[in-house]
Amino acid sequence: MKHVVVVAHPKSRSFIGTMATTYAAEARHRDLQVEVRDLYAMDFDPRLSASELPGADGSLPADLLRERELLADTAVFAFFYPFWFNAPPAILKGYMERVFGLGFAYEPVAGGTKPLLGGRKMLVVSSSGAPREWVEGTGAWEAERQIFDTHFAAVCGLELIDHLHFGSILPNTRSDFVEACADRVRSAVQKNF
């Protein structure tokens, strides 16, 4: 079972980077195949080009074709990102738009779209500097869950199996708290796989 871990944080040693590394290590420990896609380390270009739009000439850029080929046999997509302005970083949104676009994750049908990634799973780990209660109280949590978890998963045909969110993550977050969060990530892998 192939897991693709998509990381959207410019610092590999960030809290999110640590959670992604924890997930990958636990999945490998369970003899699962893991491919890490660190978007910043890859210098992924999040800009959708005109040739990628529906109705264009159909010639997709080489980076996009390579990424889709790498993801073709993925069973589990695990997304790791911080909330910035109560939303995922722009690089992740660009990755979703380009890679999970028309012809890979869905196709047009009369009256809408048809998902092309059915039977696959999605797990999300996010963080915020604000306490989770504040993120929920402002409506940002529900908005994020509706757009990313519910809508994105439905359009692609993915089954959302978990979304772990860790609030109050700051540069000086205590190491024992980080380790407790890592334990929750390990538990999610153990429970679901």
Side-chain angles (χ1 to χ4, degrees):
M1 174 183 282
K2 180 176 176 180
H3 290 233
V4 169
V5 176
V6 179
V7 186
H9 197 289
K11 291 184 177 181
S12 62
R13 292 185 166 208
S14 65
F15 174 83
I16 280 297
T18 299
M19 295 305 110
T21 299
T22 299
Y23 180 98
E26 185 62 29
R28 288 181 179 123
H29 178 73
R30 301 178 72 73
D31 293 324
L32 301 169
Q33 180 185 357
V34 177
E35 178 75 37
V36 176
R37 309 307 290 154
D38 181 333
L39 302 182
Y40 283 92
M42 294 165 50
D43 197 23
F44 180 78
D45 183 355
R47 296 171 301 162
L48 188 70
S49 68
S51 68
E52 297 170 56
L53 294 172
D57 66 6
S59 61
L60 297 178
D63 68 325
L64 180 56
L65 293 173
R66 280 191 306 272
E67 196 67 16
R68 286 180 174 187
E69 183 178 328
L70 184 135
L71 300 181
D73 61 346
T74 301
V76 179
F77 294 96
F79 296 96
F80 290 78
Y81 61 90
F83 277 25
W84 289 343
F85 286 97
N86 287 325
I91 199 167
L92 180 59
K93 178 126 181 355
Y95 185 82
M96 293 165 56
E97 288 174 356
R98 291 190 67 216
V99 176
F100 289 86
L102 187 67
F104 178 76
Y106 64 92
E107 65 185 6
V109 294
T113 60
K114 174 185 169 187
L116 297 177
L117 300 177
R120 301 168 198 226
K121 300 178 186 311
M122 179 174 124
L123 185 139
V124 180
V125 176
S126 59
S127 67
S128 60
R132 179 170 174 152
E133 298 78 27
W134 184 88
V135 173
E136 289 176 355
T138 63
W141 175 248
E142 185 55 37
E144 175 63 11
R145 294 282 313 235
Q146 186 64 31
I147 293 169
F148 188 67
D149 294 353
T150 304
H151 178 73
F152 176 74
V155 167
C156 299
L158 301 171
E159 175 193 352
L160 176 67
I161 55 174
D162 209 344
H163 186 145
L164 301 174
H165 181 78
F166 301 102
S168 301
I169 304 301
L170 301 170
N172 62 348
T173 299
R174 292 186 351 243
S175 60
D176 60 328
F177 181 74
V178 173
E179 186 53 36
C181 296
D183 283 342
R184 287 188 53 204
V185 170
R186 286 185 201 96
S187 293
V189 174
Q190 294 163 5
K191 178 181 95 174
N192 291 296
F193 312 109

